[in-house]
């Protein structure tokens, strides 16, 4: 599986994963799924989070759960949608919090590639999904793969900011070393939970204060 197309610095760190039995099984599973169903995102975009945010440039990690499962929505970056696609409810709440926190005007575009290009790793725990079936590719191996990516960041880097929104992300990030990194937790931005602690969390200003305090260029959210 050394022919996996993923950004080189990540490929180097994750190469053990590509030949691990769980990953080979996962690859077979996805191939079978594609014979019967539509699978999102498209093949070239599965590793988009890594391709758009090389290891050395990563400053902030946002952990999502699943890709969007609606047609045209998923493009490999958690919470993000391609240009021209209406921002889903969770992303709209993220934009509302940005407005409240740092007075950034609410964007009509839901494409967050400009975050990724500044060092924000927009990482879903599961990197594929069956069309219109949320959670359909969970517990097939992706979680192990994305844990390996988070572990590499945790161990090799310092002063990262991890934004863990919701119980799922908080559990996934539970092993992050809080002596080396800033871990910020809040409720998930979904309409079902956003007003239980996501709105008003001020994670965007806190992130930039932390980065600036460490001499790292803040994010232009």
């Amino acid at each position: 599986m050394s022919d996996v197309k993923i950004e080189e610095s990540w490929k180097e760190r994750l190469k053990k994963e590509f030949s691990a039995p769980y990953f080979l099984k996962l690859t077979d599973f996805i191939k079978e799924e594609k014979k019967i169903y539509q699978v999102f995102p498209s093949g070239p975009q599965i590793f988009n989070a890594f391709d758009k945010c090389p290891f050395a440039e990563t400053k902030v990690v946002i952990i999502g759960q699943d890709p969007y499962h609606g047609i045209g929505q998923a493009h490999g970056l958690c919470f993000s949608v391609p240009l021209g696609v209406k921002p889903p409810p969770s992303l709209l709440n993220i934009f509302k919090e940005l407005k409240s926190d740092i007075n950034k005007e609410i964007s009509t575009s839901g494409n967050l590639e400009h975050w990724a290009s500044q060092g924000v790793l927009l990482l879903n725990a599961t990197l594929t999904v069956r069309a219109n079936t949320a959670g359909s590719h969970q517990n097939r191996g992706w979680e192990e793969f994305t844990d390996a990516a988070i572990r590499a960041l945790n161990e090799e880097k310092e002063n990262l900011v991890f934004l863990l929104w919701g119980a799922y992300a908080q559990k996934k990030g539970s092993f992050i070393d809080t002596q080396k990194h800033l871990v910020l937790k809040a409720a998930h931005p979904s309409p079902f939970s956003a007003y239980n602690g996501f709105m008003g969390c001020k994670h965007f200003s806190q992130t930039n204060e932390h980065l600036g305090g460490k001499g790292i260029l803040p994010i232009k959210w």
Side-chain angles (χ1 to χ4, degrees):
M1 287 301 293
S2 57
D3 61 341
V4 171
K5 288 177 175 55
I6 186 171
E7 191 275 331
E8 277 305 317
S9 64
W10 281 109
K11 191 171 195 173
E12 182 59 30
R13 279 166 182 87
L14 298 171
K15 61 185 175 189
K16 277 196 319 200
E17 306 305 313
F18 296 125
S19 55
Y22 84 84
F23 196 87
L24 302 178
K25 222 168 138 183
L26 169 64
T27 306
D28 288 342
F29 166 73
I30 293 168
K31 282 178 185 164
E32 289 305 309
E33 283 280 285
K34 283 183 171 178
K35 288 176 185 174
I36 311 166
Y37 309 103
Q38 261 190 302
V39 171
F40 300 137
S42 65
Q45 293 185 317
I46 289 172
F47 297 112
N48 211 12
F50 301 102
D51 294 337
K52 293 278 191 287
C53 184
F55 187 88
E57 292 167 33
T58 304
K59 305 173 183 179
V60 180
V61 182
I62 300 178
I63 298 177
Q65 190 165 354
D66 241 9
Y68 294 122
H69 55 81
I71 289 172
Q73 289 184 307
H75 67 145
L77 306 176
C78 75
F79 294 108
S80 179
V81 288
L83 287 171
V85 176
K86 186 181 169 191
S90 291
L91 182 54
L92 206 50
N93 283 334
I94 290 169
F95 288 159
K96 286 176 186 172
E97 176 56 23
L98 273 166
K99 171 71 175 157
S100 157
D101 184 10
I102 59 170
N103 203 29
K104 181 178 165 61
E105 285 309 311
I106 291 176
S107 175
T108 52
S109 166
N111 189 319
L112 303 181
E113 284 183 17
H114 64 292
W115 292 8
S117 66
Q118 297 175 76
V120 182
L121 182 68
L122 296 161
L123 185 63
N124 276 315
T126 303
L127 298 188
T128 56
V129 71
R130 187 190 300 169
N132 306 314
T133 316
S136 47
H137 288 188
Q138 288 178 7
N139 304 314
R140 294 286 182 169
W142 277 130
E143 294 87 349
E144 198 170 333
F145 178 79
T146 50
D147 276 353
I150 296 166
R151 201 169 287 113
L153 289 164
N154 179 51
E155 290 169 7
E156 290 187 49
K157 293 181 76 79
E158 289 181 354
N159 301 320
L160 294 173
V161 183
F162 287 87
L163 303 182
L164 307 182
W165 299 334
Y168 183 90
Q170 288 163 27
K171 188 179 176 191
K172 189 165 179 72
S174 60
F175 62 82
I176 295 160
D177 184 349
T178 54
Q179 302 299 307
K180 284 172 70 181
H181 307 289
L182 177 64
V183 177
L184 298 176
K185 299 177 184 179
H188 194 278
S190 149
F192 301 109
S193 55
Y195 290 92
N196 293 334
F198 178 78
M199 307 307 276
C201 70
K202 300 195 179 300
H203 279 187
F204 302 103
S205 57
Q206 287 183 65
T207 295
N208 279 352
E209 280 165 24
H210 173 82
L211 294 174
K214 300 293 181 184
I216 302 165
L217 201 63
I219 307 298
K220 290 179 181 170
W221 301 106

